[in-house]
């Protein structure tokens, strides 16, 4: 062998594992369970080329062309910049001749390696503007769409933002510039319905150990809607029984398979399944905590390249369209449910536990290529019960020197006031009675687990102290970030550093 062919061979061999990792799916699985859709027109940028996905210039060109053709119905603004300086577009669609709208927020590409999300959202924009079957939706809907939320990640087909952060773990600590832009735009728009489009990995490492030669998932799509108990019960029910249910029917009609969101987790060495989520660090729960109807959509697609790409785009489009149709036909109900949610002032569930039970799920056996029932243990966030509960204070009070926290609260759509003169108040003080700082970084943050005891004290707060009433729309989100033991709070993420026996600069005003 010549030296040159040796080098070539070495390069090929070295890249094989990478190639295998890029698309783990056999043709048999694709042909039998996920044949591509032929209903999708090749009108979006990635579908107009043989390989690769929509890049930033193609995205801007595509939405600009839509604006040229439909100047009355569409407007484009820029909500901020990616870390590499690319302006993040927000596309607004509505019929300006009509009033009384339902505000619907949609986003794709928050994880940069989930391309059917961006492509599906672009396809939806095109159809809403160009297809006379759908334009009526814009009469009662004000639609705001961020088609490519994580531009730097998307251009590299990487899950993460340029600084390595996962933007869907950043919704309470708000450390990435993209999150700042998205949170500000979301809060300004104040949606009544929010949908975040993603794709999921059907070949998780844990799946390789199941069955004889591993398994893969059967579902085209999984719905993630929150099990967080601080989201008023009526909103959780309304989301599931109206919006998700209509989307399930639309999927049935189109022969697509679905399940509630699940993922695997390690439970003392055993692989078990988590169903749903309660975590405010991710969009589905974060948006729901603003009393919006909120769902995260996971289409089966990560690492599959362009396999079944039209099917994945069709799935995204069908869900997007279904949510808009449901918003159109339930305009009054949405407003009534949100009004009812805002009137509820429940107790605060600071921590909760998931219901645990045995169940079976349908999977594809990679030995026989048949479907099979897999026995699993489920930790069900959709059936959570409260563990640590506190009363709702009238207000939270935060020391004047905590500007960084206040800035984050504003991004989360929470209004704050300041004391104009010193004031004596009887408040509850958090004393840290147990503290654990595991010393390992999560999303570049040094997380802290604490226990606290509330002590009642009368204190004089100087002028400039922040006063945050709980009589406001985003109160559930406020409690989730301020109660120190909550799993995604400012204290938990180390945004507000503390230590054993410390007193927090956050106080509760109860009377
Ligand atoms: Zn994702």
């Amino acid at each position: 062998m010549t030296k040159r062919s040796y080098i070539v061979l070495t390069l090929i061999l070295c890249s094989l594992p990478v190639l295998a990792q890029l698309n783990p799916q056999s043709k048999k699985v694709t042909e039998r369970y996920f044949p591509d859709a032929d209903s999708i027109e090749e009108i979006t940028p990635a579908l107009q080329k043989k390989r690769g996905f929509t890049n930033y210039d193609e995205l801007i060109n595509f939405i600009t062309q839509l604006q040229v053709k439909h100047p009355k119905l569409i407007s484009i603004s820029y909500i901020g910049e990616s870390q590499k300086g690319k302006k993040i577009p927000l596309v607004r669609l509505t019929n300006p001749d009509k009033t009384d709208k339902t505000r619907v927020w949609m986003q794709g590409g928050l994880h940069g390696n989930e391309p059917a999300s961006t492509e599906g959202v672009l396809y939806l924009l095109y159809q809403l503007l160009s297809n006379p079957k759908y334009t009526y939706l814009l009469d009662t809907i004000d639609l705001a769409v961020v088609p490519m939320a994580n531009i730097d990640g998307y251009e590299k087909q990487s899950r993460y933002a340029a600084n390595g952060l996962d933007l869907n773990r950043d919704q309470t600590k708000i450390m990435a510039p993209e999150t700042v832009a998205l949170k500000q735009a979301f809060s300004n728009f104040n949606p009544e319905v929010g949908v975040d489009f993603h794709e999921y990995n059907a070949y998780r490492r844990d799946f390789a150990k199941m069955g004889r030669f591993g398994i893969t998932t059967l579902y085209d799509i999984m719905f993630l809607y929150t099990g967080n108990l601080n989201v008023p019960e009526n909103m959780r029910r309304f989301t599931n029984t109206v919006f998700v249910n209509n989307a399930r029917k639309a999927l049935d009609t189109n022969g697509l398979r679905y399940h509630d969101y699940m993922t695997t987790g390690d439970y003392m060495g055993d692989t078990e399944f988590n169903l749903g989520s309660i975590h405010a660090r991710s969009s589905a729960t974060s948006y729901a905590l603003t009393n919006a109807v909120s769902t995260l959509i996971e289409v089966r697609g990560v690492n599959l390249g362009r396999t079944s790409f039209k099917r994945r785009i069709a799935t995204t489009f069908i869900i997007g369209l279904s949510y808009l149709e449901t918003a159109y036909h339930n305009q009054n109900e949405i407003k009534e449910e949100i009004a009812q949610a805002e009137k509820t002032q429940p107790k605060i569930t600071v921590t909760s536990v998931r219901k645990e039970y045995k169940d079976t799920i349908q999977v594809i056996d990679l030995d026989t290529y048949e479907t099979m029932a897999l026995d699993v243990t489920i930790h069900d966030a959709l059936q959570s019960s409260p563990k640590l509960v506190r009363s709702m204070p009238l207000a939270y009070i935060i020391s004047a020197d905590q500007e960084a926290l206040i800035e984050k609260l504003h991004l989360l759509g929470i209004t704050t006031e300041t004391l104009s003169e010193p004031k004596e108040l009887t408040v509850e003080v958090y004393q840290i009675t147990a503290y654990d700082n595991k010393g390992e970084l999560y999303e570049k943050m040094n997380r802290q687990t604490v226990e606290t005891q509330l002590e009642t004290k009368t204190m004089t707060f100087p002028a400039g102290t922040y006063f945050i009433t709980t009589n406001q729309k985003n109160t559930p989100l406020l409690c989730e970030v301020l109660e120190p033991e909550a799993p995604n709070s400012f204290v938990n993420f180390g945004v507000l550093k503390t230590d054993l026996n410390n007193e927090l600069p956050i106080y509760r005003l109860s009377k």
Side-chain angles (χ1 to χ4, degrees), residues 110-114 159 166 168-169 196-200 296-298 302:
L110 190 62
H111 288 144
N113 61 338
E114 300 173 4
R159 177 180 176 93
D166 183 330
N168 209 24
R169 302 292 178 268
D196 185 10
F197 290 101
H198 287 248
E199 292 198 277
Y200 79 91
L296 188 151
I297 302 298
E298 294 275 18
V302 166

Side-chain angles (χ1 to χ4, degrees), residues 326-376:
T326 303
Y328 182 90
H329 292 293
N330 294 272
Q331 193 176 19
N332 294 333
E333 289 83 348
I334 294 167
K335 294 199 190 304
E336 283 162 21
E337 293 289 347
I338 292 174
Q340 189 190 327
E342 284 172 15
K343 269 186 270 166
T344 348
Q345 284 269 318
K347 292 196 170 231
I348 303 165
T349 302
V350 182
T351 59
S352 60
V353 282
R354 295 152 175 254
K355 187 171 175 181
E356 193 186 315
Y357 52 88
K358 305 269 184 208
D359 204 351
T360 57
I361 57 169
Q362 290 295 313
V363 297
I364 300 167
D365 180 2
L366 292 178
D367 183 19
T368 62
Y369 297 105
E370 300 293 332
T371 59
M372 67 173 208
L374 186 73
D375 293 323
V376 295

Side-chain angles (χ1 to χ4, degrees), residues 389-496:
V389 175
R390 288 206 174 103
S391 65
M392 181 68 72
L394 290 174
Y396 287 97
I397 288 165
I398 297 184
S399 302
D401 60 354
Q402 298 295 327
E403 294 96 345
L405 298 193
I406 300 300
E407 213 173 290
K408 290 184 198 294
L409 291 180
H410 291 164
L411 290 170
L412 295 171
I414 290 153
T415 53
T416 64
E417 294 160 70
T418 48
L419 298 182
S420 54
E421 51 188 54
K423 200 163 186 177
E424 191 183 87
L425 293 166
T426 301
V427 295
E428 291 173 311
V429 181
Y430 296 100
Q431 299 280 354
I432 308 288
T433 54
Y435 180 86
D436 186 14
N437 176 340
K438 293 192 181 68
E440 43 187 74
L441 294 180
Y442 172 85
E443 290 292 315
K444 304 193 177 178
M445 302 300 282
N446 217 328
R447 293 185 87 169
Q448 315 172 106
T449 314
V450 300
E451 283 172 31
T452 66
Q453 209 157 30
L454 291 176
E455 283 174 22
T456 303
K457 273 192 196 173
T458 300
M459 299 170 59
T460 303
F461 291 92
T465 300
Y466 294 100
F467 184 94
I468 306 142
T469 173
T470 57
N471 185 19
Q472 60 176 305
K473 178 176 167 283
N474 291 0
T475 292
L477 192 49
L478 173 68
C479 301
E480 201 73 41
V481 293
L482 290 191
E483 289 294 336
E485 298 91 338
N488 301 279
S489 69
F490 290 154
V491 167
N492 182 281
F493 264 114
V495 171
L496 175 59

Side-chain angles (χ1 to χ4, degrees), residues 194-211:
V195 191
D196 185 10
F197 290 101
H198 287 248
E199 292 198 277
Y200 79 91
N201 181 2
Y203 292 86
R204 295 175 70 84
R205 199 170 301 162
D206 291 334
F207 293 169
K209 294 176 279 180
M210 298 173 185

Side-chain angles (χ1 to χ4, degrees), residues 249-398:
K249 286 181 206 158
L251 293 165
D252 282 336
T253 306
N254 287 277
L256 296 163
R257 296 176 299 269
Y258 51 83
H259 198 278
D260 284 343
Y261 174 78
M262 56 185 169
T263 185
T264 49
D266 180 77
Y267 289 84
M268 302 207 271
D270 290 331
T271 301
E272 301 183 343
F273 282 74
N274 296 316
L275 189 76
S277 174
I278 54 107
H279 281 294
R281 63 181 180 231
S282 301
S283 64
T285 294
S286 173
Y287 295 173
L289 288 163
T290 70
N291 289 333
V293 170
S294 168
T295 317
L296 188 151
I297 302 298
E298 294 275 18
V299 171
R300 189 182 185 279
V302 166
N303 290 345
L304 296 188
R306 290 193 42 156
T307 299
S308 312
F309 194 41
K310 284 187 183 174
R311 183 186 180 101
R312 289 146 56 191
I313 295 168
T315 308
T316 305
F317 169 63
I318 287 163
I319 303 280
L321 192 62
S322 169
Y323 267 68
L324 293 175
E325 285 168 349
T326 303
Y328 182 90
H329 292 293
N330 294 272
Q331 193 176 19
N332 294 333
E333 289 83 348
I334 294 167
K335 294 199 190 304
E336 283 162 21
E337 293 289 347
I338 292 174
Q340 189 190 327
E342 284 172 15
K343 269 186 270 166
T344 348
Q345 284 269 318
K347 292 196 170 231
I348 303 165
T349 302
V350 182
T351 59
S352 60
V353 282
R354 295 152 175 254
K355 187 171 175 181
E356 193 186 315
Y357 52 88
K358 305 269 184 208
D359 204 351
T360 57
I361 57 169
Q362 290 295 313
V363 297
I364 300 167
D365 180 2
L366 292 178
D367 183 19
T368 62
Y369 297 105
E370 300 293 332
T371 59
M372 67 173 208
L374 186 73
D375 293 323
V376 295
T377 301
I378 302 267
H379 299 258
D380 189 352
L382 293 169
Q383 299 189 62
S384 297
S385 44
K387 191 172 164 200
L388 174 62
V389 175
R390 288 206 174 103
S391 65
M392 181 68 72
L394 290 174
Y396 287 97
I397 288 165
I398 297 184

